[in-house]
Amino acid sequence: MSYKVGMISLGCPKNQVDGEAMLHKLAHAGFEIVENIEDSDVMVINTCGFIEAAKTEAIETILEVAEYKAAGLISAIVVTGCLAERYQHEIKKELPEVDAVIGIGADNDIVKVCQKALLGLEADFFPDKGCLSIDEERLLSTPSHWAYLKIAEGCDNRCAYCAIPAIRGRFRSRTVESVVAEAQSLADRGVKELILIAQDTTKYGEDLYGKYSLDVLLKELVKIEGIHWIRLFYCYPQRITDSLIDVIASEDKICNYIDIPLQHADKDVLRAMHRVGDGDSYQALLTKMRAKIEGLALRTTFMVGFPGETEAQFETLCRFVKDTRFDKMGCFTFSPEEDTPAFSMPDQLEEAVKTRRQEVLMDIQYGITLDSNRARVGNTYEVIIDSFDGEQYIGRSYLDAPEIDSGIIFTADQPLTVGEFVKVRITDCNGYDLIGEVIESV
């Protein structure tokens, strides 16, 4: 008998890649992969457990799926991912509707776990997190023209607010050969854009080769025919080397776009977070990068409301954002996570204060983004088409990453294909979105 399995994958792209590897194993074992909960026999919920909002989303998702089980529409629920790794037996104790809870080290055993859950057998399993393989085939859940490429697993940074090192374990890189082989496989399947991810992408290779080797990896990846764009996420400022900057600047396939989560600009707040640098050193780095990399698009993320953050320190962050003028920016409020140093720090701020600061910072960024978009009217960009709604196309230039950034809405005189590259002239802007028209195919 062939069983049907569905998956809901929550959280970050790293978790999504883990989910894609599990889906491949299930499909290879004969499970039919389905999209709708009501069509499945077993639902796998691949959870995030990074901050309180993510935990809440995961629990609400489990409860929603449990309603389908109570109605007799599905037979079993399997929970994996970061929440499962972090809370293990607590999940089943609090959510008895769940049939199996497994840690990330058990992802390789997902077939056996689902089979046991469908038979009503105990399948909880929490092997060492280092058992999670990082060299796995995947069943892509992204559109066929772009894909995430995970180059490392785990994290050694030990930021005071972050539970990821405890959940994911020590940082460990894939070999250059392994990453290149997967990238070639993705290109052979029609993928045109690769987004390189890890908990700390710029630390890549240090554990294997004794030095930061992201620049070396990129030089190999750009040789792959069919790959048109390579985009970098999760780069730490202290590990952005001159060599990496030079590679980005000199290689056409590498998007002049980099995601650098800075978290704050005040030196004392950063030290309390167990992070290095300050506003001045960050500004010097970004100025150098902008000088060397033409048209560089900078994305960052900040945290507000860290324990002890004063109004003056928050104002330092606001001035930094105003002065630096990031192309893209996200902001989230501090979430006290148990088993992290920041959880028990004194001077915890009220949620209302955190939320207000988040809103203020995002309002500042909205004004910067609006000014930037207005300045782009009249420019022409190479754009990859992501979707078509029957009337308008939605795509992205090198300035925009999928799923997290806004894009370009445009029209064309003749039918185009999703995944195709075209030249688009920007004619207007609407908030975060740019409006344009096709002038030619690439």
Side-chain angles (χ1 to χ4, degrees):
M1 178 181 177
S2 176
Y3 288 107
K4 298 178 180 179
V5 61
M7 177 178 285
I8 299 173
S9 195
L10 305 171
C12 70
K14 284 91 70 180
N15 204 44
Q16 184 174 342
V17 168
D18 293 346
E20 292 173 344
M22 285 188 279
L23 285 174
H24 180 271
K25 289 181 175 66
L26 289 161
H28 187 70
F31 280 82
E32 181 184 346
I33 311 300
V34 297
E35 293 187 5
N36 299 320
I37 300 174
E38 62 269 23
D39 294 332
S40 65
D41 296 305
V42 56
M43 278 296 298
V44 178
I45 305 173
N46 188 28
T47 60
C48 177
F50 176 46
I51 57 175
E52 191 61 37
K55 290 185 285 187
T56 299
E57 181 186 23
I59 292 169
E60 290 176 348
T61 301
I62 294 169
L63 291 172
E64 178 185 349
V65 175
E67 293 180 5
Y68 286 83
K69 183 183 174 185
L73 296 175
I74 65 173
S75 300
I77 300 172
V78 174
V79 177
T80 185
C82 289
L83 190 78
E85 176 67 36
R86 189 173 183 185
Y87 294 104
Q88 300 190 358
H89 302 292
E90 295 176 51
I91 293 177
K92 235 170 157 187
K93 181 180 177 181
E94 299 297 327
L95 299 165
E97 302 91 342
V98 173
D99 296 275
V101 181
I102 61 171
I104 61 171
D107 283 3
N108 295 339
D109 301 294
I110 189 64
V111 172
K112 178 174 63 178
V113 170
C114 286
Q115 289 170 339
K116 284 188 173 183
L118 284 164
L119 294 172
L121 301 175
E122 183 74 19
D124 295 3
F125 189 30
F126 303 98
D128 186 278
K129 52 182 69 70
C131 293
L132 174 65
S133 174
I134 52 177
D135 296 285
E136 293 287 339
E137 292 188 65
R138 296 185 281 147
L139 185 64
L140 295 183
S141 57
T142 55
S144 60
H145 58 282
W146 68 268
Y148 294 114
L149 180 59
K150 185 157 69 168
I151 64 175
E153 178 55 70
C155 187
D156 293 340
N157 290 320
R158 302 288 174 181
C159 298
Y161 50 82
C162 185
I164 291 299
I167 297 171
R168 288 279 174 174
R170 296 297 303 272
F171 184 89
R172 50 198 177 102
S173 304
R174 299 173 63 181
T175 64
V176 169
E177 293 78 11
S178 168
V179 177
V180 171
E182 183 178 3
Q184 181 65 64
S185 174
L186 291 169
D188 292 342
R189 293 157 66 180
V191 170
K192 299 177 181 178
E193 178 180 7
L194 296 176
I195 301 171
L196 271 55
I197 57 172
Q199 301 295 343
D200 179 353
T201 309
T202 34
K203 190 178 173 68
Y204 172 77
E206 184 187 34
D207 54 324
L208 292 181
Y209 309 116
K211 63 178 182 178
Y212 304 143
S213 303
L214 182 57
D215 54 341
V216 175
L217 176 63
L218 288 169
K219 289 176 183 178
E220 295 301 315
L221 290 174
V222 297
K223 298 175 184 177
I224 299 174
E225 291 189 16
I227 298 300
H228 194 79
W229 280 351
I230 299 171
R231 193 179 296 274
L232 300 178
F233 275 13
Y234 313 125
C235 299
Y236 276 60
Q238 68 268 30
R239 286 187 269 277
I240 296 178
T241 63
D242 287 343
S243 177
L244 177 60
I245 294 172
D246 290 341
V247 170
I248 297 171
S250 61
E251 294 290 350
D252 291 340
K253 286 188 178 183
I254 303 173
C255 292
N256 291 354
Y257 173 111
I258 191 164
D259 171 74
I260 312 177
L262 297 178
Q263 306 304 353
H264 214 279
D266 181 85
K267 182 177 181 178
D268 292 334
V269 173
L270 286 164
R271 293 302 171 276
M273 290 178 169
H274 297 177
R275 293 177 68 94
V276 302
D278 56 25
D280 290 341
S281 64
Y282 291 167
Q283 192 66 263
L285 170 66
L286 301 178
T287 298
K288 178 171 67 173
M289 293 177 68
R290 280 172 161 164
K292 290 189 173 184
I293 304 173
E294 184 179 358
L296 177 63
L298 287 169
R299 161 171 275 282
T300 193
T301 308
F302 292 112
M303 175 189 293
V304 294
F306 191 79
E309 181 192 50
T310 64
E311 280 292 337
Q313 290 168 332
F314 174 63
E315 284 299 322
T316 296
L317 176 58
C318 290
R319 287 195 299 273
F320 179 75
V321 170
K322 290 177 182 177
D323 293 343
T324 307
R325 300 185 69 80
F326 293 95
D327 298 273
K328 318 286 180 179
M329 189 196 83
C331 176
F332 61 98
T333 61
F334 167 74
S335 173
E337 298 300 315
E338 60 267 35
D339 302 321
T340 66
F343 180 78
S344 55
M345 283 182 177
D347 302 320
Q348 300 277 336
L349 276 64
E350 295 180 0
E351 289 301 322
V353 173
K354 299 179 195 177
T355 300
R356 178 185 63 80
R357 291 180 181 178
Q358 180 188 42
E359 291 171 349
V360 168
L361 201 65
M362 290 308 298
D363 281 346
I364 292 171
Q365 180 60 34
Y366 180 75
I368 293 169
T369 301
L370 197 58
D371 288 345
S372 296
N373 281 350
R374 287 169 177 162
R376 292 188 174 114
V377 173
N379 292 351
T380 297
Y381 296 99
E382 183 180 48
V383 171
I384 190 168
I385 302 173
D386 280 331
S387 63
F388 178 60
D389 65 5
E391 295 183 1
Q392 300 178 118
Y393 294 91
I394 299 175
R396 294 173 291 108
S397 71
Y398 80 90
L399 297 161
D400 312 300
E403 298 189 326
I404 59 170
D405 292 334
S406 53
I408 300 174
I409 302 168
F410 60 94
T411 57
D413 294 334
Q414 53 188 331
L416 302 170
T417 305
V418 170
E420 180 182 351
F421 282 89
V422 292
K423 294 281 188 180
V424 175
R425 180 187 295 113
I426 306 304
T427 58
D428 200 355
C429 67
N430 182 14
Y432 285 108
D433 293 317
L434 294 172
I435 313 298
E437 58 185 9
V438 170
I439 58 173
E440 63 177 291
S441 295
V442 176

